[in-house]
Amino acid sequence: TLQQKDEWWLKNVYKGDMRQLTLRSGLTGAVLGSVLSLTNLYIGIQTGWTLGVGITSVIVSFAMFKFLSRFNFSTEMTILENNTMQSIATSAGYMTAPLIASLSG
């Protein structure tokens, strides 16, 4: 039944106690988004194309926190923290798209 499916999902999939929107995910997303928006702006001025910054931000963030966790400087980001960070970085990274679209070639 639908109720049994919901109960199974709640027990086996739902991660209600997992961290999601934290200070480090917000700051990491803002910093990566600002850096990636500059790279997006540069490539857009040179070629007229904008880049997707979502995948780049996730890979850089994952690698950075994995590296820091090996030396006990931080813990790894949870999957939900990484998702939140990607949303922030992507929205910051795409802020330059209207600037690139308005340039005439």
Side-chain angles (χ1 to χ4, degrees):
T1 67
L2 186 58
Q3 184 177 1
Q4 289 172 328
K5 288 180 184 178
D6 288 343
E7 288 174 7
W8 179 89
W9 180 86
L10 194 59
K11 281 190 243 178
N12 299 312
V13 177
Y14 179 67
K15 305 288 184 197
D17 56 343
M18 188 181 286
R19 294 176 292 163
Q20 184 171 354
L21 178 58
T22 60
L23 184 62
R24 75 176 177 169
S25 68
L27 290 176
T28 304
V31 169
L32 286 176
S34 63
V35 170
L36 292 172
S37 70
L38 294 175
T39 62
N40 205 8
L41 184 61
Y42 175 77
I43 292 188
I45 289 171
Q46 295 296 322
T47 65
W49 289 70
T50 59
L51 301 173
V53 298
I55 294 174
T56 308
S57 64
V58 166
I59 292 170
V60 169
S61 171
F62 179 81
M64 182 175 63
F65 281 100
K66 187 79 144 171
F67 178 78
L68 291 174
S69 71
R70 289 202 179 173
F71 295 104
N72 295 324
F73 289 123
S74 180
T75 59
E76 292 182 27
M77 273 192 164
T78 66
I79 192 168
L80 295 178
E81 277 182 305
N82 231 344
N83 186 34
T84 303
M85 182 282 312
Q86 181 187 16
S87 298
I88 295 168
T90 301
S91 62
Y94 281 123
M95 292 296 284
T96 58
L99 296 173
I100 295 165
S102 65
L103 294 174
S104 61

